[in-house]
Amino acid sequence: MAAQLALTVVARLSVPARSTGILTNLKKGVFISSLTRTICSGLLERSFSTSSRLKGRTHVDWKAKGDVAVVRVNEPNSVMNTWTSHMQKDMMEVMDEIWTTDSVGSAVVISTKPHCFITGMDLKTIKSCKTEEEATLLSRQWQGMMKKIECSPKPIVAAISGWCLNAGLEFATACQYRLATGGDMTSLVSREVRMGLMPSAGGTQRLTELVGPYHALQIMLEGHRIQADAAKKMGLVHKVVDTTDHKYFEDVAVSCARGIVKKSIPLTPQKEWSKIAHDFYYSFPKVRQDMYRNTWNTVISKETFCSAPLKIIETVRIGVEQGSAAGYRAESWKFGELVTNDVTSALIRLFRNLTIMHLKKRQQ
């Protein structure tokens, strides 16, 4: 349709073309080819930018930047981009469009908010689960969604700037390539345990695969902020871009996406010597068993009423020692057990109340 419209416009322009000396180029097809590309490009870009409005998408949109699809995350009327069911639906619709669009070979996921990539958990859906079975099934559905991202036929670059928290970290680790802005602004964090929960979309397994069981447990149990440089050293991100210019950061991400397609940029992070030594040390089963036991004893010594830390340790252990398939199953089962726990419900209520108080203070 776009090509037909382009040819119609060319036909209407053919009369003035004769009087301005362009007829020779028209005969050679040079002008037609150039004009057709220009018009088609404009129509395609316009159709991509308006498709989200036509489909009712409000949280995620995409636009072709040459042969790279730039996916922009932007929760309206919010300072954060929370991984709600609405955002999940928009994201997967966008990905389905990108996967079936032949003109793009890769994608970049970036937030329009420089201080926030993706954060939070879908607490509303979690609290709607009344039984362990429902929560287990929910976790398996989320795992399936992230598996589609992980097995994308086109490489996906997570361009992380600002907070990358909980579900945001699970999404980022499912992408094929991760780059982050340097400095204090960007933090990669897993804090589900503070709500009595645990990663539930495959995060326990992907994080462990990327950084090893020791670092994965530290990240999930302690909930500390991992800044970009430290994340790169442990293998969590591929590249750090020292900039506060968000447009420049997007351009670098697009360039990385093109490089991956051309195979000039490898998907496997380049390991530093500290990472190589760390992986070698924990390659010995006895060393790992000692680490599991020591971590378990440390948690027990804190006399916490929350069982989430122990379930995280066991899930990581199962995934490493019995394989990722067993690890994914354990993650779903143990998440299901946590969701219906009274302690978890109390911690979620406390988290919501603290969040409301924080937002009210910001509005004053």
Side-chain angles (χ1 to χ4, degrees):
M1 179 178 177
Q4 290 177 349
L5 179 56
L7 291 174
T8 301
V9 174
V10 170
R12 292 181 179 178
L13 290 174
S14 60
V15 174
R18 291 188 186 95
S19 61
T20 56
I22 306 177
L23 184 58
T24 304
N25 284 334
L26 282 173
K27 288 180 179 179
K28 292 180 180 179
V30 175
F31 182 73
I32 292 177
S33 176
S34 175
L35 185 58
T36 301
R37 282 196 303 269
T38 302
I39 294 175
C40 289
S41 176
L43 290 172
L44 288 172
E45 287 187 3
R46 198 179 309 136
S47 66
F48 291 151
S49 62
T50 58
S51 62
S52 62
R53 292 193 295 272
L54 294 174
K55 295 187 178 183
R57 289 200 298 259
T58 56
H59 290 55
V60 184
D61 192 9
W62 78 281
K63 185 176 181 180
K65 207 169 191 178
D67 56 351
V68 178
V70 178
V71 180
R72 293 187 173 88
V73 182
N74 181 25
E75 181 178 347
N77 305 316
S78 175
V79 296
M80 309 293 278
N81 295 320
T82 308
W83 189 248
T84 61
S85 57
H86 194 151
M87 183 174 289
Q88 295 167 37
K89 177 177 176 293
D90 283 2
M91 180 67 76
M92 297 315 295
E93 280 185 3
V94 162
M95 287 301 170
D96 285 336
E97 289 179 11
I98 292 170
W99 291 330
T100 56
T101 301
D102 295 335
S103 59
V104 295
S106 58
V108 168
V109 179
I110 190 169
S111 170
T112 61
K113 304 176 175 74
H115 63 276
C116 176
F117 179 62
I118 298 173
T119 68
M121 297 182 73
D122 188 1
L123 292 178
K124 183 177 180 181
T125 303
I126 290 173
K127 291 307 296 177
S128 69
C129 297
K130 305 302 181 184
T131 64
E132 289 184 14
E133 290 74 16
E134 288 181 5
T136 298
L137 179 59
L138 178 63
S139 172
R140 288 177 179 168
Q141 290 173 347
W142 286 343
Q143 287 177 354
M145 177 175 60
M146 292 300 181
K147 195 67 177 178
K148 289 183 70 176
I149 299 297
E150 181 184 18
C151 298
S152 169
K154 301 176 181 181
I156 302 172
V157 174
I160 304 166
S161 180
W163 283 93
C164 178
L165 172 68
N166 295 347
L169 184 58
E170 292 203 78
F171 178 85
T173 56
C175 295
Q176 287 70 39
Y177 192 91
R178 291 163 295 283
L179 74 160
T181 53
D184 297 334
M185 185 171 66
T186 294
S187 299
L188 294 88
V189 192
S190 176
R191 287 182 178 167
E192 293 92 342
V193 71
R194 298 190 181 185
M195 292 179 285
L197 294 169
M198 60 186 287
S200 52
T204 60
Q205 305 307 300
R206 290 191 184 90
L207 188 60
T208 302
E209 183 178 349
L210 288 171
V211 303
Y214 175 80
H215 285 315
L217 286 173
Q218 294 300 309
I219 291 170
M220 289 184 283
L221 296 178
E222 300 296 334
H224 295 320
R225 296 173 57 181
I226 308 298
Q227 293 184 336
D229 289 331
K232 185 177 183 300
K233 286 182 179 180
M234 65 176 64
L236 189 50
V237 300
H238 295 72
K239 182 175 182 177
V240 176
V241 183
D242 290 316
T243 183
T244 56
D245 186 335
H246 204 55
K247 184 180 183 306
Y248 171 74
F249 182 55
E250 180 180 308
D251 291 340
V252 173
V254 169
S255 178
C256 286
R258 290 198 178 105
I260 293 169
V261 173
K262 294 177 181 178
K263 301 190 184 303
S264 60
I265 296 179
L267 288 176
T268 303
Q270 185 177 1
K271 292 185 179 181
E272 299 188 10
W273 282 109
S274 59
K275 169 68 172 170
I276 294 172
H278 179 89
D279 290 347
F280 177 74
Y281 180 70
Y282 284 101
S283 66
F284 297 98
K286 186 179 186 310
V287 173
R288 293 197 303 273
Q289 296 305 322
D290 290 343
M291 183 267 294
Y292 299 139
R293 183 174 60 255
N294 292 337
T295 307
W296 185 281
N297 291 337
T298 299
V299 171
I300 292 295
S301 67
K302 294 180 179 179
E303 298 181 354
T304 176
F305 292 102
C306 178
S307 61
L310 299 180
K311 292 185 185 299
I312 290 173
I313 296 170
E314 183 63 10
T315 300
V316 169
R317 187 193 67 79
I318 291 173
V320 173
E321 308 303 331
Q322 300 179 25
S324 60
Y328 281 112
R329 289 194 297 270
E331 181 183 89
S332 294
W333 292 335
K334 295 183 184 302
F335 175 76
E337 294 169 356
L338 288 173
V339 167
T340 54
N341 187 292
D342 290 338
V343 174
T344 300
S345 298
L347 288 172
I348 290 177
R349 285 196 298 271
L350 176 62
F351 173 79
R352 282 178 167 174
N353 291 337
L354 290 174
T355 302
I356 291 172
M357 289 174 58
H358 176 70
L359 292 175
K360 285 183 177 178
K361 286 183 178 179
R362 287 181 64 94
Q363 292 172 356
Q364 290 176 355

